[in-house]
Amino acid sequence: MARDLAQVVVAPAERWVEEAASRIAGGLEASVLARGQASIALSGGETPRPVYQRLAAMTLPWSRIDVFFGDERAVPPEHPDSNYHMAVETLLDPAGVPMARRHRMPADAADRDAAARAYAAELPERFDLLVLGIGHDCHTASLFPGSTALNETTRRVVPSESPVPPIERLTITPPVIAASRARFVLARGRDKAGPVARALEGSDDATHCPAQLARAGVWLLDPDAAAGLTGTPE
Ligand code: 6PG
């Protein structure tokens, strides 16, 4: 069953943040140890906020870690809806990530398609770690159900549109998710139980449940987000 591709980790609610941050930190440290550097692509949304704050308090070789984004909204970097703004507040500034290691996805550029191409050229061949979330409609990054971006097999970053504001976005594409060395999907709360179950145990249908693209990953869930699963977690 497709669920077998996933490493499902269910952490008690009071341990979920620590578990998620520790595993991401461990992945970054292992990459730097193995290759002298690491790359991570961050998710936006609300779920990762406390995880990024906890990560900022950990001792990591940030001068050797490049921070990218899996998606971004077409808003300026200081806008409250900006994923970059959220990362600066919770992680990049508190952890002292050097400016040269911060790779904002410029979705607010006048020519979003050109910005997508330029950002794709900046990406490493493979992310060491890709942090993703999952939406109520089973989207991940800014790959929304039915999006033409889901059919992209060559471009690594493309414009996309969200069904809810902020509508205009940039997002990584399926090949980037597949090529990442490690995928971490963060989900907690009862409202994510349905999409998590669809993503991990539903019939293969990435067009209508794009989060299935991250099945071969570590799914860091609290008991509420795991409530819809029938299989036994780790
Ligand atoms: C974004 C995110 C998006 C997010 C999900 C879940 O730009 O919004 O990258 O993919 O992970 O929408 O969002 P929450 O964590 O807020 O539920």
Side-chain angles (χ1 to χ4, degrees):
M1 179 169 69
R3 155 76 186 275
D4 298 343
L5 296 172
Q7 182 187 345
V8 177
V9 177
V10 181
E14 67 276 8
R15 290 273 313 148
W16 182 85
V17 170
E18 188 67 29
E19 187 69 32
S22 301
R23 285 174 180 261
I24 292 169
L28 288 170
E29 284 170 337
S31 297
V32 171
L33 201 60
R35 284 180 291 282
Q37 61 181 15
S39 59
I40 183 170
L42 300 179
S43 167
E46 292 306 309
T47 302
R49 275 183 179 272
V51 178
Y52 297 166
Q53 287 167 329
R54 181 67 189 95
L55 204 54
M58 296 178 169
T59 303
L60 284 167
W62 290 109
S63 63
R64 294 173 177 269
I65 300 170
D66 282 295
V67 182
F68 295 90
F69 291 81
D71 71 322
E72 185 56 277
R73 296 84 178 275
V75 295
E78 64 282 351
H79 191 283
D81 284 345
S82 160
N83 291 337
Y84 180 77
H85 176 74
M86 186 268 281
V88 167
E89 273 190 330
T90 56
L91 176 59
L92 305 185
D93 279 358
V97 175
M99 294 309 286
R101 294 290 182 179
R102 305 179 187 193
H103 305 273
R104 183 178 81 90
M105 191 183 256
D108 56 330
D111 184 338
R112 209 160 22 114
D113 193 70
R117 294 181 190 280
Y119 196 74
E122 207 180 318
L123 299 185
E125 191 178 333
R126 308 172 69 188
F127 290 130
D128 290 306
L129 282 78
L130 171 60
V131 180
L132 293 169
I134 183 169
H136 304 142
D137 60 356
C138 221
H139 80 261
T140 194
S142 280
L143 293 166
F144 294 93
S147 166
T148 53
L150 291 164
N151 306 320
E152 185 57 57
T153 56
T154 51
R155 292 184 66 181
R156 300 200 294 167
V157 180
V158 294
S160 73
E161 279 70 38
S162 164
V164 296
I167 292 170
E168 295 182 329
R169 312 271 183 115
L170 284 184
T171 185
I172 55 172
T173 58
V176 174
I177 296 176
S180 297
R181 288 192 173 89
R183 285 160 288 276
F184 286 86
V185 182
L186 307 180
R188 67 172 175 173
R190 179 66 68 166
D191 63 339
K192 297 295 174 77
V196 166
R198 280 181 63 198
L200 292 180
E201 297 182 348
S203 55
D204 289 358
D205 183 10
T207 300
H208 295 99
C209 184
Q212 289 187 353
L213 295 167
R215 273 175 167 171
V218 178
W219 287 61
L220 285 157
L221 313 174
D222 72 349
D224 282 344
L229 295 177
T230 55
T232 47
E234 296 278 303

